[in-house]
Tab-separated table of all heavy atoms in Angstrom:
chain	number	residue	atom	x	y	z
C	1170	GLU	N	-38.093	13.469	-13.351
C	1170	GLU	CA	-37.925	14.490	-14.378
C	1170	GLU	C	-39.228	15.280	-14.622
C	1170	GLU	O	-39.202	16.500	-14.766
C	1170	GLU	CB	-37.449	13.800	-15.666
C	1170	GLU	CG	-37.239	14.696	-16.870
C	1170	GLU	CD	-35.969	15.556	-16.775
C	1170	GLU	OE1	-35.117	15.280	-15.919
C	1170	GLU	OE2	-35.871	16.513	-17.565
C	1171	ALA	N	-40.368	14.570	-14.613
C	1171	ALA	CA	-41.644	15.242	-14.919
C	1171	ALA	C	-41.940	16.302	-13.858
C	1171	ALA	O	-42.406	17.409	-14.181
C	1171	ALA	CB	-42.764	14.218	-14.985
C	1172	ALA	N	-41.644	15.980	-12.594
C	1172	ALA	CA	-41.913	16.940	-11.509
C	1172	ALA	C	-41.002	18.164	-11.654
C	1172	ALA	O	-41.429	19.301	-11.413
C	1172	ALA	CB	-41.691	16.275	-10.159
C	1173	LEU	N	-39.753	17.927	-12.060
C	1173	LEU	CA	-38.811	19.050	-12.233
C	1173	LEU	C	-39.298	19.946	-13.373
C	1173	LEU	O	-39.314	21.178	-13.267
C	1173	LEU	CB	-37.401	18.542	-12.538
C	1173	LEU	CG	-36.702	17.719	-11.459
C	1173	LEU	CD1	-35.324	17.273	-11.945
C	1173	LEU	CD2	-36.556	18.522	-10.169
C	1174	GLN	N	-39.687	19.303	-14.476
C	1174	GLN	CA	-40.147	20.065	-15.640
C	1174	GLN	C	-41.392	20.882	-15.276
C	1174	GLN	O	-41.509	22.060	-15.618
C	1174	GLN	CB	-40.460	19.093	-16.790
C	1174	GLN	CG	-40.710	19.767	-18.129
C	1174	GLN	CD	-39.466	20.494	-18.656
C	1174	GLN	OE1	-38.460	19.859	-18.920
C	1174	GLN	NE2	-39.527	21.818	-18.757
C	1175	GLU	N	-42.276	20.247	-14.528
C	1175	GLU	CA	-43.520	20.927	-14.134
C	1175	GLU	C	-43.194	22.124	-13.244
C	1175	GLU	O	-43.770	23.198	-13.373
C	1175	GLU	CB	-44.410	19.910	-13.407
C	1175	GLU	CG	-45.867	20.310	-13.267
C	1175	GLU	CD	-46.111	21.265	-12.087
C	1175	GLU	OE1	-45.451	21.104	-11.020
C	1175	GLU	OE2	-46.934	22.181	-12.241
C	1176	ARG	N	-42.172	21.934	-12.351
C	1176	ARG	CA	-41.802	23.029	-11.443
C	1176	ARG	C	-41.207	24.209	-12.216
C	1176	ARG	O	-41.493	25.371	-11.929
C	1176	ARG	CB	-40.783	22.501	-10.405
C	1176	ARG	CG	-40.466	23.521	-9.316
C	1176	ARG	CD	-41.676	23.748	-8.441
C	1176	ARG	NE	-41.594	24.922	-7.593
C	1176	ARG	CZ	-41.958	26.164	-7.955
C	1176	ARG	NH1	-42.381	26.408	-9.186
C	1176	ARG	NH2	-41.902	27.152	-7.099
C	1177	VAL	N	-40.384	23.884	-13.230
C	1177	VAL	CA	-39.781	24.960	-14.032
C	1177	VAL	C	-40.892	25.705	-14.789
C	1177	VAL	O	-40.934	26.943	-14.811
C	1177	VAL	CB	-38.739	24.395	-15.028
C	1177	VAL	CG1	-38.263	25.473	-15.993
C	1177	VAL	CG2	-37.551	23.826	-14.266
C	1178	ASN	N	-41.816	24.940	-15.379
C	1178	ASN	CA	-42.909	25.583	-16.141
C	1178	ASN	C	-43.728	26.502	-15.244
C	1178	ASN	O	-44.069	27.623	-15.619
C	1178	ASN	CB	-43.816	24.524	-16.780
C	1178	ASN	CG	-43.077	23.745	-17.855
C	1178	ASN	OD1	-42.033	24.205	-18.341
C	1178	ASN	ND2	-43.569	22.565	-18.206
C	1179	ARG	N	-44.031	25.996	-14.031
C	1179	ARG	CA	-44.835	26.804	-13.091
C	1179	ARG	C	-44.069	28.086	-12.740
C	1179	ARG	O	-44.638	29.166	-12.677
C	1179	ARG	CB	-45.104	25.969	-11.839
C	1179	ARG	CG	-46.123	26.539	-10.885
C	1179	ARG	CD	-46.874	25.449	-10.123
C	1179	ARG	NE	-46.036	24.430	-9.520
C	1179	ARG	CZ	-45.553	24.463	-8.278
C	1179	ARG	NH1	-45.787	25.502	-7.506
C	1179	ARG	NH2	-44.839	23.462	-7.805
C	1180	PHE	N	-42.773	27.964	-12.523
C	1180	PHE	CA	-41.939	29.124	-12.170
C	1180	PHE	C	-41.968	30.157	-13.303
C	1180	PHE	O	-42.152	31.360	-13.074
C	1180	PHE	CB	-40.497	28.652	-11.924
C	1180	PHE	CG	-39.584	29.714	-11.377
C	1180	PHE	CD1	-39.320	29.791	-10.024
C	1180	PHE	CD2	-38.985	30.647	-12.209
C	1180	PHE	CE1	-38.463	30.769	-9.510
C	1180	PHE	CE2	-38.129	31.625	-11.718
C	1180	PHE	CZ	-37.878	31.682	-10.363
C	1181	LEU	N	-41.808	29.657	-14.526
C	1181	LEU	CA	-41.672	30.591	-15.665
C	1181	LEU	C	-42.977	31.280	-16.035
C	1181	LEU	O	-42.968	32.283	-16.752
C	1181	LEU	CB	-41.100	29.853	-16.880
C	1181	LEU	CG	-39.650	29.391	-16.761
C	1181	LEU	CD1	-39.211	28.657	-18.010
C	1181	LEU	CD2	-38.705	30.568	-16.491
C	1182	THR	N	-44.106	30.739	-15.551
C	1182	THR	CA	-45.376	31.393	-15.885
C	1182	THR	C	-45.826	32.363	-14.787
C	1182	THR	O	-46.965	32.831	-14.811
C	1182	THR	CB	-46.482	30.354	-16.158
C	1182	THR	OG1	-46.488	29.422	-15.075
C	1182	THR	CG2	-46.268	29.629	-17.476
C	1183	GLN	N	-44.953	32.669	-13.847
C	1183	GLN	CA	-45.308	33.711	-12.864
C	1183	GLN	C	-45.542	35.012	-13.634
C	1183	GLN	O	-44.790	35.334	-14.571
C	1183	GLN	CB	-44.167	33.919	-11.868
C	1183	GLN	CG	-43.917	32.730	-10.958
C	1183	GLN	CD	-42.717	33.004	-10.063
C	1183	GLN	OE1	-42.859	33.568	-8.995
C	1183	GLN	NE2	-41.542	32.604	-10.504
C	1184	PRO	N	-46.576	35.765	-13.247
C	1184	PRO	CA	-46.936	36.962	-14.020
C	1184	PRO	C	-45.771	37.934	-14.217
C	1184	PRO	O	-45.652	38.540	-15.275
C	1184	PRO	CB	-48.040	37.611	-13.183
C	1184	PRO	CG	-48.587	36.504	-12.362
C	1184	PRO	CD	-47.495	35.519	-12.147
C	1185	CYS	N	-44.865	38.029	-13.237
C	1185	CYS	CA	-43.775	38.999	-13.383
C	1185	CYS	C	-42.784	38.586	-14.465
C	1185	CYS	O	-41.953	39.383	-14.877
C	1185	CYS	CB	-43.043	39.196	-12.066
C	1185	CYS	SG	-42.213	37.708	-11.494
C	1186	LEU	N	-42.859	37.357	-14.929
C	1186	LEU	CA	-41.845	36.867	-15.869
C	1186	LEU	C	-42.364	36.559	-17.263
C	1186	LEU	O	-41.598	36.523	-18.211
C	1186	LEU	CB	-41.218	35.569	-15.334
C	1186	LEU	CG	-40.283	35.667	-14.152
C	1186	LEU	CD1	-39.829	34.281	-13.750
C	1186	LEU	CD2	-39.080	36.529	-14.481
C	1187	THR	N	-43.662	36.306	-17.384
C	1187	THR	CA	-44.148	35.701	-18.631
C	1187	THR	C	-43.702	36.459	-19.876
C	1187	THR	O	-43.347	35.846	-20.873
C	1187	THR	CB	-45.683	35.577	-18.639
C	1187	THR	OG1	-46.204	36.766	-18.083
C	1187	THR	CG2	-46.138	34.370	-17.864
C	1188	GLU	N	-43.679	37.774	-19.777
C	1188	GLU	CA	-43.346	38.557	-20.960
C	1188	GLU	C	-41.960	38.185	-21.508
C	1188	GLU	O	-41.765	37.961	-22.685
C	1188	GLU	CB	-43.347	40.035	-20.582
C	1188	GLU	CG	-43.709	40.924	-21.754
C	1188	GLU	CD	-43.776	42.359	-21.273
C	1188	GLU	OE1	-44.630	42.649	-20.409
C	1188	GLU	OE2	-42.953	43.134	-21.727
Side-chain angles (χ1 to χ4, degrees):
E1170 179 74 14
L1173 296 179
Q1174 190 64 63
E1175 196 278 323
R1176 187 68 194 87
V1177 172
N1178 293 342
R1179 191 150 49 92
F1180 188 98
L1181 292 179
T1182 50
Q1183 293 177 88
C1185 64
L1186 288 178
T1187 41
E1188 209 176 297

